[in-house]
Amino acid sequence: MTGFNDQVIEEFRQHKGKLGGRFEGWELILLTTTGARSGKRRTNPLGYLEIDGKTVVVASNMGASEHPGWYHNIRHDQRVTIETGTETYEAIAAIPPAAERDALFAKAVELEPGFAEYQAKTTRELPVVILSRVDDRVRGIGDFLVEVHEWLREELKTLRAGVDDLVAGRADSLIMEKSLRAHCVSFCEALTKHHTGEDMGAFPMLAQRFPALAPSLTKLGEDHVVVASLQKRIRELVEGYVHGESDPVRLRDDFDVLAGKLEAHFAHEEETVVAALNVTAPAPSFG
């Protein structure tokens, strides 16, 4: 099969996606994935369908009892490369939830009845995969997440400056204490709301659609627990300082620990989920 695939791939590339013989008239792409065990790049010619504006492939394996290798690969690494014959682009491979999968498969059967025959040959449910182009020109919800992080980063800087002013005695103590407490409460509430939204909504959705992300998402969720504990400590120190019960230098040191943890968390989260989020939904618009 490997030799046959290599021949198809060579002809596909030589003739800009146009094939003759048994594949004449077929709509094919070349899908390149990263081997789940080998880590090597693997290319497969696949038939594809355009359904409701989505590029869709079915892991039929011609009705065999096992999923094709490329499907196992995208469950370990959702980043793929697609060749159409006229262009090559990076994409994200998503596994839709059950209801969406069923609707897409029904439409796939309408367009290509052969998929129903393949399904009848095996007891496994044929997976449906959505291939979404990674397009930096389109603002997605992942970009919105980065914007939220930037706002939180700026709020952290403002809080840190306020703590420095207290330590150095550069401002009216009473006014600064009240401002710091109000700012701290506002920041902590915003951060908690952001992380709760991820834990309850974004992360479960991403784990379902992109199984390869599940371990990283679990780690990010664990980070949220650590950050919440640090937030609680900071708020206690700020309240204690206002009541004359905390050392401002200790407050500054603990705040720096929180800021460092948050910056590392934000950076890891952006590296891990932004691309997947961007192909999942557009950024929210306001106004």
Side-chain angles (χ1 to χ4, degrees), residues 17-262:
K18 303 298 182 183
L19 298 177
R22 60 184 290 190
F23 294 114
E24 186 171 1
W26 283 34
E27 294 291 340
L28 295 180
I29 57 171
L30 299 184
L31 177 71
T32 299
T33 60
T34 301
R37 286 178 292 185
S38 69
K40 297 180 179 179
R41 299 286 278 169
R42 306 293 189 190
T43 300
N44 294 90
L46 294 177
Y48 75 97
L49 299 167
E50 293 291 336
I51 301 176
D52 299 333
K54 302 180 178 73
T55 299
V56 173
V57 291
V58 179
S60 66
N61 207 13
M62 300 179 68
S65 60
E66 297 180 350
H67 296 314
W70 65 262
Y71 180 72
H72 291 292
N73 292 346
I74 63 111
R75 290 184 61 84
H76 285 81
D77 189 335
Q78 74 281 1
R79 298 166 298 179
V80 301
T81 301
I82 293 175
E83 297 174 59
T84 67
T86 57
E87 64 174 336
T88 300
Y89 60 88
E90 301 305 304
I92 300 290
I95 300 170
E100 185 179 359
R101 177 265 169 205
D102 292 346
L104 287 170
F105 186 72
K107 292 180 179 180
V109 168
E110 289 179 9
L111 295 169
E112 293 290 346
F115 286 125
E117 298 175 14
Y118 290 147
Q119 183 62 85
K121 291 172 61 178
T122 181
T123 56
R124 70 181 176 93
E125 181 178 79
L126 302 186
V128 174
V129 177
I130 300 171
L131 303 173
S132 300
R133 180 194 293 261
V134 176
D135 190 345
D136 294 336
R137 297 169 299 177
V138 179
R139 183 171 172 269
I141 196 170
D143 298 315
F144 177 70
L145 177 138
V146 174
E147 292 170 6
V148 171
H149 284 178
E150 288 301 319
W151 180 83
L152 289 169
R153 286 180 173 110
E154 289 302 315
E155 291 296 292
L156 271 175
K157 290 179 182 178
T158 301
L159 279 169
R160 181 62 164 78
V163 172
D164 281 345
D165 286 341
L166 280 179
V167 172
R170 288 194 291 264
D172 182 279
S173 179
L174 181 60
I175 294 175
M176 181 57 67
E177 289 165 8
K178 291 181 178 179
S179 174
L180 181 64
R181 178 168 57 180
H183 207 149
C184 181
V185 169
S186 175
F187 172 80
C188 287
E189 288 178 349
L191 183 60
T192 298
K193 182 178 180 181
H194 172 61
H195 283 170
T196 300
E198 290 179 327
D199 290 336
M200 301 298 290
F203 287 0
M205 178 273 292
L206 287 174
Q208 181 181 52
R209 288 181 175 268
F210 309 102
L213 292 179
S216 293
L217 294 170
T218 298
K219 174 61 170 61
L220 290 171
E222 292 169 352
D223 287 350
H224 290 174
V225 176
V226 173
V227 167
S229 177
L230 288 169
Q231 283 179 255
K232 183 174 182 292
R233 175 65 179 159
I234 292 296
R235 289 186 67 166
E236 289 172 349
L237 287 171
V238 169
E239 289 294 330
Y241 184 82
V242 169
H243 295 97
E245 300 168 357
S246 295
D247 176 3
V249 175
R250 173 68 184 280
L251 171 61
R252 180 181 61 191
D253 291 345
D254 279 19
F255 186 86
D256 285 347
V257 172
L258 172 64
K261 289 282 188 182
L262 270 179

Side-chain angles (χ1 to χ4, degrees), residues 1-11 43 45:
M1 180 63 75
T2 300
F4 176 74
N5 274 354
D6 289 343
Q7 292 176 18
V8 174
I9 292 167
E10 183 179 359
E11 182 180 351
T43 300

